[in-house]
Amino acid sequence: MFEAKPSNIPFPYQVSVNSRAKRLNLKLSANKGVQLVVPKRVSQKAAMAFLQQHVEWIQGNAHIWEQAYVEIERPELIVLPVLGQWRVEYETNVISKRATLLHRPDNSLIYCGKDDPEIIFKKLHQWIHKQAAPYLHERMQHLSQRCELPFNKLTFRTQNTRWGSCSHEKNISLNYKLIFMDEDLIDYVLIHELAHTVHLDHGKRFWGLVSEHFPNYRLAIKQLKYADSIIPNWF
C-alpha cells in the first residue's frame, strides 16, 4: 500500500496507516509537517482523493506545517503556560566531558557543553520531563478526587500520536507534551482518560461522563486537533 506517492500533490507529506483509525484524517504540525492518517482498510485511491480534496485547506494553513522543513533552532525562551517561562543561554566554548543544563536562581537555564544539537535537545527534553511529571501527577490526583474517578497507576511518555491512554487495569499514561498546553486543555485530556476508567469505549455513556465533568469538551476536542502546532519543533 502507498508504494508510490502521486506527483500532483504540491507539497511534501507523510502517510500513516493506522489500524485503530476509523476515518481518514489530516494532521498539520511544526514537528512532522503534513500527515495523512489512513485506516487500515482504506485504499490508496480513496486516501489520495481525500488528500486532493483538502489541498487548498492545507496550503491555507501552511504557517503551521511549513516549519517542519526549516532547520530546527535551539530555543532562547521556553514557555510552559501552567508553570512559567525560562530564558535559555548556551555556553558551548567550555571544555567539558559532560554536558549540563543548570536551572539558575533568576529563573533562567544555561546549557554548558558541546555545541551539538542532539545533545542540547536531549538535555532540554530531560528538563521538560522533570517539570511536567510533578505537575501532571498533582493535577491528575486533584481531578481524580474532584470527579470521584479513581485510577491505579500513572506513567508518562513522549508520544507522537496520543495525548493519553487508559488500560483495563485503570493504569493511565500521559504525554509529556501536555505541559506545553493551557490548563483547560490539559484538564480535558486528564478527564478524558479518567472517564476511560469507567467506560473504555467512546460510546454515549463515556461522553456523558466526560460532559458531566468537562461541559465544554467539544471545544477542547477542536483545539486539541491542532495542538501539535503549540509544541515547539525542538521537542
Side-chain angles (χ1 to χ4, degrees):
M1 191 175 184
F2 301 102
E3 294 179 357
K5 294 182 178 180
S7 58
N8 62 341
I9 304 298
F11 45 76
Y13 63 94
Q14 300 179 40
V15 176
S16 173
V17 179
N18 190 331
S19 60
R20 299 184 60 177
K22 295 182 179 179
R23 61 183 65 86
L24 288 161
N25 190 23
L26 284 166
K27 294 184 177 181
L28 310 181
S29 75
N31 296 318
K32 293 191 174 183
V34 180
Q35 288 183 285
L36 174 62
V37 181
V38 183
K40 192 172 184 179
R41 295 187 180 182
V42 171
S43 68
Q44 178 172 353
K45 182 179 179 180
M48 291 302 100
F50 177 82
L51 182 62
Q52 189 67 57
Q53 291 170 5
H54 291 82
V55 164
E56 185 175 343
W57 175 79
I58 293 170
Q59 291 177 317
N61 288 279
H63 63 284
I64 297 175
W65 57 266
E66 280 185 336
Q67 296 179 52
Y69 306 101
V70 178
E71 184 178 354
I72 298 176
E73 297 182 359
R74 56 196 188 188
E76 296 182 357
L77 182 70
I78 295 177
V79 179
L80 307 178
V82 294
L83 296 177
Q85 60 183 37
W86 293 262
R87 290 181 295 103
V88 188
E89 298 177 9
Y90 301 88
E91 181 54 73
T92 58
N93 296 322
V94 298
I95 300 175
S96 174
K97 294 182 179 180
R98 184 178 181 182
T100 59
L101 184 66
L102 303 177
H103 191 159
R104 299 192 295 197
D106 64 347
N107 214 35
S108 67
L109 305 173
I110 181 167
Y111 167 85
C112 299
K114 187 178 180 181
D115 190 7
D116 183 326
E118 184 175 349
I119 296 175
I120 292 173
F121 294 144
K122 181 180 179 180
K123 289 296 179 183
L124 291 173
H125 282 209
Q126 291 173 346
W127 184 82
I128 292 292
H129 293 173
K130 289 181 179 178
Q131 312 311 307
Y135 173 84
L136 293 174
H137 189 276
E138 181 180 351
R139 194 66 188 162
M140 180 62 88
Q141 291 282 9
H142 169 75
L143 292 173
S144 174
Q145 294 174 11
R146 191 189 78 184
C147 301
E148 297 183 346
L149 294 171
F151 63 94
N152 181 30
K153 182 181 179 182
L154 182 62
T155 57
F156 304 95
R157 300 177 185 176
T158 299
Q159 298 173 285
N160 292 323
T161 59
R162 305 179 79 178
W163 298 112
S165 62
C166 180
S167 72
H168 287 275
E169 294 77 23
K170 299 186 179 182
N171 294 327
I172 294 177
S173 176
L174 296 176
N175 195 326
Y176 281 114
K177 293 179 181 179
L178 289 170
I179 201 64
F180 289 101
M181 300 181 188
D182 292 331
E183 185 176 80
D184 279 353
L185 208 51
I186 293 175
D187 282 358
Y188 164 70
V189 173
L190 271 55
I191 289 173
H192 183 111
E193 299 308 329
L194 286 170
H196 276 314
T197 62
V198 180
H199 306 292
L200 280 172
D201 61 6
H202 287 95
K204 290 184 179 179
R205 290 185 299 173
F206 168 81
W207 289 114
L209 184 57
V210 171
S211 178
E212 179 182 340
H213 300 292
F214 200 96
N216 207 18
Y217 73 91
R218 288 186 177 86
L219 176 60
I221 292 174
K222 292 180 181 179
Q223 293 174 332
L224 201 59
K225 187 175 182 179
Y226 304 103
D228 275 341
S229 63
I230 301 172
I231 313 302
N233 58 6
W234 53 265
F235 192 79

